[in-house]
Amino acid sequence: MNIAIILAAGVGQRMRSAGLPKQFLKLFGKPIIIYTLEKFEQCEDIDRVVIVCREGYLDHMRSLLALYHIEKVQRIVVGGRDRQESLQRGLDAAEDIGGQPDDIVLIHDGVRPLVEERTIRENVRVAQQYGCAVTVAPVIESVVITESADAAMQDVKKRAATYSLTAPQSFRLGAIRVAYAHAAGQADGMPLLDAAMVYASTGKKMHLVKEQNRNIKITTPEDFYYLKAMIELEENKFVFGL
């Protein structure tokens, strides 16, 4: 069984949206979270969905699921104090709905609505083969890594070998539970900010699924207008047969 865990418990302070969490902002009359859920609803490789929701919005989420006929959602749980606690509550819920240690869980942000079905399917395939699949986007600018105000040539990283971690991040359920049980808060002084870093901190390898920079996280007002443009582009491609 393949279970998607959709993280939708964020506040969205950078969106400046008068208190409404960014995942519930509407675009063309439809909330961002629904655009995201529809991608997993329509993907045949996904069997069940768990939503980790912001406290106080569970009833609102349930009403949206009914309105837009999202049927794969089996459980909605309240998020935790931070992303990692929210994620672990999602993993708990995946087990509660019947998830077994060898089943695949795909962890995705509710505000990444541009994820492509082929990326979801490739996550499932790679995670089934290797136990882990992490979606990455190639970096399109040159990268300098330094802790000072200066940089030398050795601090410049080859662009073709540099990626950003995006989502989904997918694992065998048993393996990611074990990783969380054994991981500390940091590895080599670096905070463990997401499931992929927790998994890798236990010595396991991340197997990469590459996508092409469309799968952005909607965080700022500028991102919101980018999403609007991308949805309009997709609609025009369909209308004009592009």
Side-chain angles (χ1 to χ4, degrees):
M1 182 164 61
N2 304 318
I3 304 170
I5 299 174
I6 308 299
L7 301 176
V11 178
Q13 293 177 336
R14 283 177 286 178
M15 187 60 77
R16 303 189 296 276
S17 55
L20 185 67
K22 58 190 175 182
Q23 55 270 29
F24 296 112
L25 293 177
K26 289 186 177 181
L27 186 58
F28 301 114
K30 183 189 298 186
I32 291 174
I33 184 64
I34 295 300
Y35 283 103
T36 304
L37 288 169
E38 285 177 340
K39 296 295 182 67
F40 291 87
E41 180 78 13
Q42 295 162 7
C43 181
E44 293 183 356
D45 284 359
I46 300 301
D47 301 299
R48 299 180 182 180
V49 176
V50 168
I51 299 175
V52 184
C53 186
R54 181 165 171 73
E55 188 173 12
Y57 286 86
L58 273 70
D59 288 341
H60 182 54
M61 181 70 79
R62 292 188 186 100
S63 67
L64 291 177
L65 298 179
L67 179 62
Y68 290 97
H69 307 290
I70 306 297
E71 299 178 350
K72 288 184 180 179
V73 175
Q74 299 292 304
R75 189 69 54 86
I76 306 174
V77 297
V78 175
R81 293 166 296 178
D82 55 25
R83 180 183 178 87
Q84 294 293 37
E85 185 175 340
S86 293
L87 201 156
Q88 292 192 66
R89 290 186 180 187
L91 294 172
D92 289 341
E95 288 186 344
D96 289 344
I97 64 172
Q100 299 298 309
D102 283 341
D103 289 340
I104 302 300
V105 289
L106 298 88
I107 300 161
H108 192 73
D109 300 301
V111 287
R112 287 190 190 271
L114 295 176
V115 61
E116 295 183 342
E117 181 176 345
R118 62 184 176 183
T119 300
I120 298 171
R121 295 174 68 93
E122 185 66 1
N123 263 261
V124 171
R125 185 191 70 80
V126 173
Q128 286 176 338
Q129 182 174 356
Y130 298 106
C132 168
V134 177
T135 310
V136 297
V139 172
I140 59 176
E141 303 280 0
S142 297
V143 174
V144 174
I145 299 178
T146 179
E147 294 184 358
S148 71
D150 302 310
M153 187 61 200
Q154 62 264 27
D155 299 319
V156 180
K157 303 307 175 183
K158 193 162 79 172
R159 185 166 51 188
T162 310
Y163 301 91
S164 298
L165 294 176
T166 62
Q169 297 179 356
S170 307
F171 313 89
R172 293 202 183 278
L173 178 55
I176 192 62
R177 293 313 301 262
V178 169
Y180 268 101
H182 289 86
Q186 295 188 346
D188 297 327
M190 181 179 295
L192 303 178
L193 301 177
D194 61 20
M197 296 176 70
V198 168
Y199 186 83
S201 75
T202 63
K204 296 180 180 294
K205 288 187 176 181
M206 296 184 285
H207 294 269
L208 306 185
V209 172
K210 298 177 184 178
E211 51 99 355
Q212 295 300 318
N213 287 298
R214 293 183 66 248
N215 182 20
I216 68 168
K217 188 176 183 180
I218 309 304
T219 303
T220 67
E222 291 78 11
D223 297 331
F224 182 82
Y225 286 105
Y226 175 84
L227 172 61
K228 180 179 179 181
M230 292 304 298
I231 291 175
E232 287 181 328
L233 175 62
E234 290 303 314
E235 289 180 349
N236 288 335
K237 282 183 177 180
F238 178 76
V239 170
F240 297 109
L242 298 178

